[in-house]
Amino acid sequence: MIYVVHQPEAGEAKAWFAFNADDLLRKVAADDALPEHAIWDRASPRELLALFDATPETPGVAERFPGICTLGAEDGWDRPRYRADYVQDAGSYGAAPVRLEDACYAALRARGGQWKFYDNEPHALAAVDLPDPLYDAPGGWRARHALRQQLIAVEALADDL
């Protein structure tokens, strides 16, 4: 599981979880201004053309989709490209891999406030008691408490601790 803690500039801290990276993307996209494919996508130029019912061999495809065809000609039609509008130039598919989780974390950070991300349950469990600038700041106990409550809710932590 992936655990997320948010301490907004004003208001109560919240903690929530995602089962995996795909679930994280769905949950982030549900409350984001950008569509899911703009937060993170991985597709080859061939796959991008297929979205328009076209292939590299379709007559006139280079005139209709010059950007996609340039990507295909330069890097190969089947090489994955990555889109993550909060990480790189909006609307572009880059060659450098972007981890789905990192794209989601960038989208969340763009919303403001302070964020903590734990890629697995052991890290989240350890964070409940470790020193941390967010949790140890004045009022930060609320964020620590939100994480603790989320861990109790998913039965990763006993509620008598």
Side-chain angles (χ1 to χ4, degrees):
M1 282 195 220
I2 299 167
Y3 292 88
V4 177
V5 179
H6 180 215
Q7 176 63 61
E9 295 298 325
E12 289 298 314
K14 292 186 172 76
W16 50 276
F17 76 93
F19 289 107
N20 54 37
D22 291 330
D23 187 38
L24 178 66
L25 177 58
R26 279 190 297 277
K27 288 178 177 179
V28 171
D31 294 329
D32 203 86
L34 295 180
E36 188 174 303
H37 70 273
I39 296 170
W40 186 86
D41 191 27
R42 179 183 60 215
S44 69
R46 185 181 310 280
E47 291 168 327
L48 293 173
L49 283 179
L51 294 173
F52 302 102
D53 295 323
T55 69
E57 297 78 23
T58 301
V61 72
E63 291 77 30
R64 290 180 49 217
F65 306 106
I68 297 173
C69 290
T70 299
L71 288 176
E74 289 176 358
D75 291 331
W77 289 102
D78 298 310
R79 181 176 181 205
R81 306 288 292 199
Y82 297 84
R83 179 174 177 179
D85 286 9
Y86 289 103
V87 176
Q88 58 196 27
D89 292 337
S92 67
Y93 280 80
V98 177
R99 228 173 53 111
L100 190 156
E101 294 91 331
D102 293 335
C104 289
Y105 299 160
L108 291 171
R109 283 189 195 99
R111 298 176 186 183
Q114 295 183 64
W115 294 86
K116 290 288 178 180
F117 309 103
Y118 304 100
D119 285 336
N120 58 51
E121 198 166 273
H123 288 131
L125 286 166
V128 170
D129 295 317
L130 290 176
D132 184 277
L134 170 61
Y135 302 147
D136 297 337
W141 67 269
R142 290 177 181 91
R144 187 186 304 268
H145 181 72
L147 174 60
R148 182 182 295 276
Q149 290 304 110
Q150 182 61 65
L151 290 165
I152 290 169
V154 298
E155 298 180 352
L157 186 65
D159 62 359
D160 60 352
L161 295 178

